[in-house]
Amino acid sequence: QPAAAPAPAAPQQQQPAAQPAAPPPAAAPAQPAALTQEQKYILATVGSLQQRVCGAMQKKMAEDVGKKLQSLTDKLNGNQVSADVCAQLAQWCQAMERNDVAAAGHIQTALTSSVWDEHGTWLQATKRMVDQAKKM
């Protein structure tokens, strides 16, 4: 009977060893170190635009924009935004920086038409930022 007790313990020891090996690969794609210069520019610019534009919004809307922009940050960090979308988003950032809300609106509308299914969450935030910038 004492020999039967160690047998069940051995499989239990093997299972925990297999479980910790799984999380590191899932976390690896989200490392910001893999960001391109364009992606870094987008994150920095969107952050500064958010502070500037959202400061004039109602608190609840500004918080919602912040939550939706977190989706963009997560997708950029996870390398889930295509190079084409990044290029358009960089153009949107440039237009917003120079207060060309008409151009920013056109870029935002084009992105919404082409990639809404993938990126609708953060595109809602860019739309609200354009709308608020028009009022400023």
Side-chain angles (χ1 to χ4, degrees), residues 22-70:
Q31 293 176 353
L35 293 177
T36 65
Q37 286 300 112
E38 186 174 56
Q39 290 168 327
K40 289 176 186 175
Y41 164 74
I42 291 166
L43 286 174
T45 306
V46 167
S48 67
L49 289 169
Q50 180 184 2
Q51 288 180 0
R52 187 182 84 196
V53 176
C54 290
M57 289 181 178
Q58 293 178 357
K59 184 180 178 182
K60 189 174 181 180
M61 184 179 284
E63 288 172 355
D64 186 59
V65 167
K67 288 177 188 174
K68 290 182 185 324
L69 288 177
Q70 185 61 47

Side-chain angles (χ1 to χ4, degrees), residues 29-129:
Q31 293 176 353
L35 293 177
T36 65
Q37 286 300 112
E38 186 174 56
Q39 290 168 327
K40 289 176 186 175
Y41 164 74
I42 291 166
L43 286 174
T45 306
V46 167
S48 67
L49 289 169
Q50 180 184 2
Q51 288 180 0
R52 187 182 84 196
V53 176
C54 290
M57 289 181 178
Q58 293 178 357
K59 184 180 178 182
K60 189 174 181 180
M61 184 179 284
E63 288 172 355
D64 186 59
V65 167
K67 288 177 188 174
K68 290 182 185 324
L69 288 177
Q70 185 61 47
S71 170
L72 173 61
T73 300
D74 294 344
K75 286 185 180 249
L76 285 171
N77 284 333
N79 201 26
Q80 297 172 335
V81 181
S82 71
D84 182 54
V85 172
C86 281
Q88 291 178 68
L89 193 50
Q91 291 174 355
W92 179 85
C93 288
Q94 292 166 358
M96 288 291 285
E97 280 185 313
R98 64 177 184 269
N99 294 317
D100 187 350
V101 291
H106 289 302
I107 294 164
Q108 196 280 332
T109 300
L111 281 167
T112 297
S113 298
S114 61
V115 296
W116 177 261
D117 290 343
E118 285 179 87
H119 302 296
T121 300
W122 61 260
L123 281 167
Q124 289 176 349
T126 59
K127 169 80 169 112
R128 288 185 178 160
M129 291 172 73

Side-chain angles (χ1 to χ4, degrees), residues 1-12:
Q1 289 179 357
Q12 290 174 355

Side-chain angles (χ1 to χ4, degrees), residues 125-136:
T126 59
K127 169 80 169 112
R128 288 185 178 160
M129 291 172 73
V130 169
D131 290 346
Q132 183 62 40
K134 289 176 182 177
K135 299 175 189 176
M136 297 172 72

